[in-house]
Amino acid sequence: MDKRIPSLAEAVADIPDGATVMIGGFGGSGAPIELIHALIDRCLATGSPRDLTVINNNSGNGHVGIAALIEQGMVRKMVCSFPRSADPRVFTEKYLAGEIGLELVPQGTLAERIRAGGAGIPAFYTLTAYGTDLAQGKPVAEFEGRQYVQERWLKADVALIKAELGDHHGNLTYRMAARNFSPLMAMAAARTIVQVTQVVAPGCIDPEHVVTPGIFVDGVVEVANPAQEEALNRANAVYPEVQA
Amino acid sequence: MDKRIPSLAEAVADIPDGATVMIGGFGGSGAPIELIHALIDRCLATGSPRDLTVINNNSGNGHVGIAALIEQGMVRKMVCSFPRSADPRVFTEKYLAGEIGLELVPQGTLAERIRAGGAGIPAFYTLTAYGTDLAQGKPVAEFEGRQYVQERWLKADVALIKAELGDHHGNLTYRMAARNFSPLMAMAAARTIVQVTQVVAPGCIDPEHVVTPGIFVDGVVEVANPAQEEALNRANAVYPEVQA
Amino acid sequence: MTTRLSNAQIAWRAAQDIADGAYVNLGIGFPEMVARFQPPGRQAVFHTENGVLGFGEAPPAGQEDWDLINAGKKAITLNPGAAFFHHADSFAMVRGGHLDVAILGAYQVAQNGDLANWSTGPRGVPAVGGAMDLVHGAKRVAVLTDHVTKDGMPKLVESCTLPLTGVRCVTRVYTSLAVVDIENDHFVLREKLPAISLDELQAVTGARLHVDGEIADLIVPEL
Amino acid sequence: MTTRLSNAQIAWRAAQDIADGAYVNLGIGFPEMVARFQPPGRQAVFHTENGVLGFGEAPPAGQEDWDLINAGKKAITLNPGAAFFHHADSFAMVRGGHLDVAILGAYQVAQNGDLANWSTGPRGVPAVGGAMDLVHGAKRVAVLTDHVTKDGMPKLVESCTLPLTGVRCVTRVYTSLAVVDIENDHFVLREKLPAISLDELQAVTGARLHVDGEIADLIVPEL
């Protein structure tokens, strides 16, 4: 078994128009910038994919990563908990112009819905959002004297995530708080593509330290020195770079 | 913060009659034999605790660990998926005599119900057991054209589990397949007591390798050379040892 | 000429349908034998409910580590690329449809795919383990079984009379006499031992065996 | 004489109520200041939604690692005994009631404990983050806030007019003028600045302030 993919372009080649795409990361931490930019490159070259539904905690910052994906007009709808950032202009302008949809989900409910999608749990109950606007239209049930909101699983066609080590079987480790949503998204997508800082042979990751077992991973592509969204934004980076 | 407990006797001192106790382990792997035997010692000395409801995947093997707990008459009811073992006599005889209760739960549902208890999810839906005797009396709902069974969370007053390393904050690692239900039980019990092979200072466990964060742990007691249930049973061990 | 496959031979036949790199759960007991018969050049990744992916053969006697066991509580070893995880993650793999195939034993299989394999009735101590989760989790649920019970009663039936493990979950049955698919609430015969006629097979089967195209010979090495 | 506490002083007062070893989540912004004012000899363990328990102060400028941030996307450091985990485990800690206290900001708090802190109405881009999870997770949910809005309107009200974050969730409010508990659908005044009279405080509070025993002086150091 060998889940290695030789290039970023091949890693994102099969994502169709209209796909639902989970993208790992919380703000810039764990954002798979290179995979996202490869998707933009493909769209610039071929006109596809477009009309994406993107699931991420946020909605992009500055003009790189998810913000660049939105800026290219590739995203129809965002599903996120906090569509704000230091520089949220790209999403904000499209949202206020009615050019992009938004499903706002409390952060813990977003995480649990994604896990539920991966774990075969079509619905669960939570206190979160009970009695608020974000529970409108959702079934409510009482357990042990308290009212809970029914929430549904969230699945995706593809997950694009970033990890630290990845072996040929797709076993993954993460780096610090860059872990965040990625292990859940890997479970919940029909196809999970991972950019890793280093590809290693099976057996190089201690079985005790595997965070995402390879069963949840379909492809691994090495990006040895991944960009940090925060650093790119501090340098006022724009993707794709404007040609001089 | 220091969650160390100096002795096994102190570790199990506060468990009251009638408590619901989650006990880690799958068969002998991960079974906290010393904590269980300390509980038996306490009952022999003081007559308490009794009337326990014990949650574990199995129902004991031979005459040590959970089997010994049952043999002492301390257990009112077992909640488990597979109340059989190489030598299941202790449970079997009491069950057939109507002296102990049994709630039989499919293994994955048992795991998920415990996680739900720890995660604040009072109920969830699963395909598991739909249309079978084990779903009788449980609500059913349809999602996306399929029928699912509603299952409820499972919580406990106390969890007794076994881990490998534990630091003063209660951060834990496990050893191989001895992990099984223990990280879930640590989340789902009001009080989680852990026997660890080695207590280490905070900072000795790499934050990337912590499996159970200390927030889920209340007490840590060192048992440097823990017994393996399987080895005890192969040696025909009985607890407490019969005095010659 | 072979008139009935041994358990090892049934397991061998099932192993031929497992692709390289497939994620597989083998039920306790007889289905565990499937791991021995992977065709050369193929390596499946075996999952055990108690939190191991990528385990290998049993260790030599005396070298067991009783923290490293499978769902049948037997000692195992690890292959390179193995991973440990807790029970909720383990059953997320199962329930979430991440396993490619689960191979289980059976008391009865009905023509609509219903499976009974956990209880023979109200006597004794009931025990279910992970069977009810596995039957609704894996992408493909296959059954290994003798074609008939020890008393000669059919195990492939119109509808199960024993307590169900799951409804409409089995898609293929490997028996001591045949390979049978379940499609549209019917048994469809795919392969049978050359030594047995279709009529003879039908006579020991509790529901109609449909034929859809060629019936291949079920040919298995001596094992 | 102090007539109004600064944000730092409100945070200081809240910090005095946090026990040694408590597990604490501090909301983005002003509540983050609470971490600076832990009394000597006490060390709380701080939780951030994005998967870190036991983080420490901000690193010096230029030494940030942007994989190590808090929920406000600010760089942090680790204390000994820290742990990383994914978002579902992080919110299992929250939703499962494992945090001892969550300290949040507020637009409005109602006398029944309802909190509004995520939306000022339908204009602009809505964003909720983890607030709705936190208010129903922690064993104790406290609010830090100015006693009145910038326009001088009460923030402690009979019932919230802004969109709710959670119902009946707040148990204590630390304001720029007072410390107020919420008990049985009432505001109960516990402490107030010595410089302000009960009548003056009531005049800037949108619901009846009940008194149950002594009202202590709210005394906070210059910060």
Side-chain angles (χ1 to χ4, degrees):
Chain A
M1 184 162 41
D2 191 346
K3 296 183 179 174
R4 287 178 293 175
I5 303 175
S7 72
L8 285 161
E10 285 160 276
V12 301
D14 296 332
I15 302 171
D17 285 353
T20 295
V21 184
M22 291 177 173
I23 299 183
F26 179 88
S29 169
I33 296 290
E34 285 77 7
L35 280 172
I36 300 169
H37 289 179
L39 203 58
I40 292 172
D41 291 347
R42 193 187 128 205
C43 188
L44 288 170
T46 70
S48 185
R50 296 190 165 270
D51 253 347
L52 302 174
T53 296
V54 171
I55 300 168
N56 178 270
N57 187 65
N58 305 98
S59 61
N61 189 9
H63 301 274
V64 296
I66 289 175
L69 202 68
I70 294 170
E71 198 156 30
Q72 291 296 324
M74 296 166 67
V75 182
R76 185 171 58 83
K77 181 184 169 189
M78 291 296 307
V79 179
C80 53
S81 89
F82 204 79
R84 287 190 201 146
S85 62
D87 177 4
R89 270 176 293 171
V90 168
F91 176 80
T92 301
E93 286 171 15
K94 282 204 193 283
Y95 178 77
L96 296 178
E99 292 168 15
I100 193 166
L102 170 66
E103 181 181 347
L104 190 70
V105 183
Q107 193 174 144
T109 296
L110 181 62
E112 191 67 12
R113 288 178 64 193
I114 297 169
R115 179 189 177 275
I121 308 283
F124 61 91
Y125 289 91
T126 174
L127 278 177
T128 302
Y130 174 72
T132 77
D133 294 351
L134 297 190
Q136 272 179 15
K138 294 179 177 172
V140 166
E142 182 176 315
F143 299 97
E144 298 167 30
R146 297 190 76 172
Q147 301 292 318
Y148 293 82
V149 180
Q150 186 192 92
E151 294 282 355
R152 299 293 310 282
W153 61 12
L154 207 47
K155 300 192 192 196
D157 299 302
V158 181
L160 299 178
I161 66 173
K162 179 185 184 177
E164 183 66 5
L165 300 182
D167 73 16
H168 301 190
H169 291 197
N171 291 302
L172 305 178
T173 68
Y174 298 88
R175 187 164 181 277
M176 304 198 281
R179 187 182 304 194
N180 55 68
F181 284 90
S182 297
L184 313 172
M185 291 178 169
M187 297 167 68
R191 198 152 152 269
T192 294
I193 306 299
V194 191
Q195 67 167 75
V196 299
T197 305
Q198 193 185 348
V199 171
V200 297
C204 292
I205 304 176
D206 185 334
E208 304 278 11
H209 300 160
V210 171
V211 176
T212 293
I215 192 170
F216 297 127
V217 171
D218 298 277
V220 170
V221 57
E222 185 170 288
V223 177
N225 293 297
Q228 282 284 4
E229 186 183 281
E230 183 73 25
L232 293 177
N233 278 324
R234 285 172 178 240
N236 296 310
V238 173
Y239 197 85
E241 287 178 54
V242 182
Q243 301 298 319
Chain B
M1 182 163 40
D2 192 347
K3 296 182 179 174
R4 287 177 294 175
I5 303 175
S7 72
L8 285 160
E10 285 161 275
V12 301
D14 296 333
I15 301 171
D17 285 353
T20 296
V21 184
M22 291 177 174
I23 300 184
F26 180 88
S29 168
I33 296 290
E34 285 76 7
L35 281 171
I36 300 169
H37 290 178
L39 204 58
I40 292 172
D41 291 348
R42 194 189 128 205
C43 188
L44 289 170
T46 71
S48 185
R50 296 191 166 269
D51 252 347
L52 302 175
T53 295
V54 171
I55 299 168
N56 178 270
N57 187 66
N58 305 98
S59 61
N61 189 9
H63 300 273
V64 297
I66 289 176
L69 202 68
I70 294 170
E71 199 157 29
Q72 290 296 324
M74 296 166 67
V75 182
R76 186 170 56 84
K77 180 184 168 190
M78 292 296 308
V79 179
C80 53
S81 88
F82 204 78
R84 288 192 199 146
S85 63
D87 177 5
R89 270 176 294 172
V90 169
F91 175 79
T92 301
E93 286 170 17
K94 283 204 191 281
Y95 178 77
L96 296 178
E99 292 168 16
I100 192 166
L102 170 65
E103 180 182 346
L104 190 69
V105 183
Q107 194 174 142
T109 297
L110 181 62
E112 191 67 13
R113 287 178 64 193
I114 297 169
R115 179 190 178 274
I121 308 283
F124 61 90
Y125 289 91
T126 175
L127 279 177
T128 302
Y130 173 73
T132 78
D133 294 352
L134 297 190
Q136 271 179 16
K138 294 181 177 171
V140 166
E142 181 176 315
F143 299 98
E144 299 169 28
R146 297 191 76 172
Q147 301 292 320
Y148 293 82
V149 180
Q150 186 191 93
E151 294 283 356
R152 299 293 310 283
W153 61 13
L154 207 48
K155 301 192 192 195
D157 300 304
V158 180
L160 299 179
I161 66 173
K162 178 184 184 179
E164 183 65 7
L165 300 181
D167 72 17
H168 300 190
H169 291 197
N171 292 300
L172 306 177
T173 67
Y174 298 88
R175 187 164 180 276
M176 303 198 283
R179 189 183 301 194
N180 55 69
F181 284 90
S182 298
L184 313 172
M185 291 176 169
M187 296 166 68
R191 195 149 154 272
T192 294
I193 306 298
V194 191
Q195 67 167 76
V196 300
T197 305
Q198 193 185 349
V199 170
V200 297
C204 292
I205 304 176
D206 185 334
E208 304 278 10
H209 299 162
V210 171
V211 176
T212 293
I215 192 171
F216 297 127
V217 171
D218 298 278
V220 171
V221 58
E222 185 170 287
V223 177
N225 293 297
Q228 282 285 3
E229 186 185 279
E230 183 73 26
L232 293 177
N233 278 323
R234 285 172 179 241
N236 296 311
V238 174
Y239 197 86
E241 287 177 54
V242 183
Q243 301 298 318
Chain C
M1 200 152 186
T2 309
T3 56
R4 185 179 167 283
L5 299 186
S6 66
N7 285 352
Q9 287 175 307
I10 302 172
W12 181 92
R13 176 61 192 85
Q16 308 314 301
D17 289 346
I18 298 177
D20 183 42
Y23 291 94
V24 180
N25 184 293
L26 302 176
I28 295 174
F30 154 33
E32 290 180 48
M33 284 200 276
V34 170
R36 294 193 214 153
F37 300 120
Q38 292 183 82
R42 292 193 218 164
Q43 173 139 36
V45 179
F46 293 104
H47 168 269
T48 180
E49 292 94 308
N50 54 317
V52 190
L53 201 60
F55 66 89
E57 299 188 359
Q63 293 182 37
E64 299 92 350
D65 183 323
W66 297 110
D67 282 344
L68 185 56
I69 59 174
N70 65 13
K73 278 89 174 182
K74 296 197 192 79
I76 55 175
T77 56
L78 296 181
N79 289 331
F84 297 118
F85 35 85
H86 62 50
H87 248 84
D89 282 350
S90 181
F91 280 89
M93 294 175 192
V94 172
R95 202 189 304 103
H98 302 283
L99 293 173
D100 294 298
V101 54
I103 298 183
L104 303 167
Y107 298 143
Q108 293 177 324
V109 183
Q111 60 188 351
N112 68 347
D114 286 0
L115 173 67
N117 81 344
W118 74 282
S119 170
T120 52
R123 277 164 306 156
V125 177
V128 65
M132 286 191 184
D133 307 280
L134 283 163
V135 295
H136 288 302
K139 295 188 184 83
R140 191 161 78 80
V141 175
V143 156
L144 306 193
T145 181
D146 275 333
H147 203 87
V148 296
T149 67
K150 281 173 186 150
D151 304 334
M153 300 297 293
K155 297 184 78 167
L156 280 64
V157 296
E158 286 195 353
S159 64
C160 295
T161 54
L162 291 171
L164 292 186
T165 306
V167 297
R168 298 173 179 278
C169 52
V170 177
T171 54
R172 176 164 271 205
V173 186
Y174 302 93
T175 82
S176 46
L177 303 178
V179 176
V180 177
D181 282 343
I182 292 169
E183 293 179 1
N184 304 315
D185 293 346
H186 294 310
F187 288 126
V188 181
L189 181 62
R190 296 297 178 197
E191 302 176 16
K192 67 170 183 60
L193 289 182
I196 189 169
S197 72
L198 180 52
D199 285 349
E200 288 170 320
L201 189 66
Q202 182 64 70
V204 291
T205 305
R208 172 84 186 282
L209 285 171
H210 292 252
V211 176
D212 171 21
E214 195 192 357
I215 301 168
D217 284 343
L218 174 54
I219 296 173
V220 172
E222 292 302 319
L223 291 169
Chain D
M1 199 152 186
T2 308
T3 56
R4 185 181 166 282
L5 298 186
S6 66
N7 285 353
Q9 287 175 308
I10 301 172
W12 181 91
R13 176 61 192 85
Q16 308 314 301
D17 289 346
I18 297 176
D20 184 41
Y23 291 94
V24 180
N25 184 293
L26 302 176
I28 296 175
F30 154 34
E32 291 179 48
M33 284 199 278
V34 170
R36 294 192 214 155
F37 300 120
Q38 291 182 85
R42 291 193 220 164
Q43 173 141 35
V45 179
F46 293 104
H47 168 269
T48 180
E49 292 95 306
N50 54 315
V52 189
L53 201 60
F55 65 89
E57 299 190 358
Q63 292 183 37
E64 300 91 350
D65 183 323
W66 297 110
D67 282 343
L68 186 57
I69 60 174
N70 65 13
K73 277 89 173 182
K74 297 198 191 80
I76 55 176
T77 56
L78 296 181
N79 288 333
F84 297 118
F85 36 86
H86 62 52
H87 248 85
D89 282 349
S90 182
F91 280 89
M93 294 176 191
V94 172
R95 202 190 302 102
H98 303 282
L99 292 173
D100 294 299
V101 55
I103 299 183
L104 304 166
Y107 297 144
Q108 294 178 323
V109 184
Q111 60 189 353
N112 69 346
D114 286 0
L115 173 66
N117 81 345
W118 75 282
S119 169
T120 52
R123 278 164 306 156
V125 178
V128 67
M132 286 190 183
D133 307 279
L134 283 162
V135 295
H136 288 301
K139 295 188 183 85
R140 191 162 77 81
V141 175
V143 156
L144 306 192
T145 180
D146 274 333
H147 204 87
V148 297
T149 67
K150 281 173 184 150
D151 303 335
M153 300 297 292
K155 298 183 78 168
L156 280 65
V157 297
E158 286 195 351
S159 63
C160 295
T161 54
L162 291 172
L164 291 186
T165 307
V167 297
R168 297 175 179 277
C169 51
V170 177
T171 54
R172 176 163 270 203
V173 186
Y174 302 93
T175 82
S176 45
L177 303 178
V179 176
V180 177
D181 281 343
I182 292 170
E183 294 178 0
N184 305 316
D185 294 346
H186 294 311
F187 289 126
V188 181
L189 181 63
R190 296 296 178 197
E191 302 176 17
K192 67 171 182 60
L193 289 182
I196 190 169
S197 73
L198 180 53
D199 286 349
E200 287 169 319
L201 189 66
Q202 182 64 70
V204 291
T205 305
R208 174 82 187 282
L209 285 171
H210 291 251
V211 177
D212 171 21
E214 195 191 358
I215 300 168
D217 285 342
L218 173 54
I219 295 172
V220 173
E222 292 301 318
L223 291 170

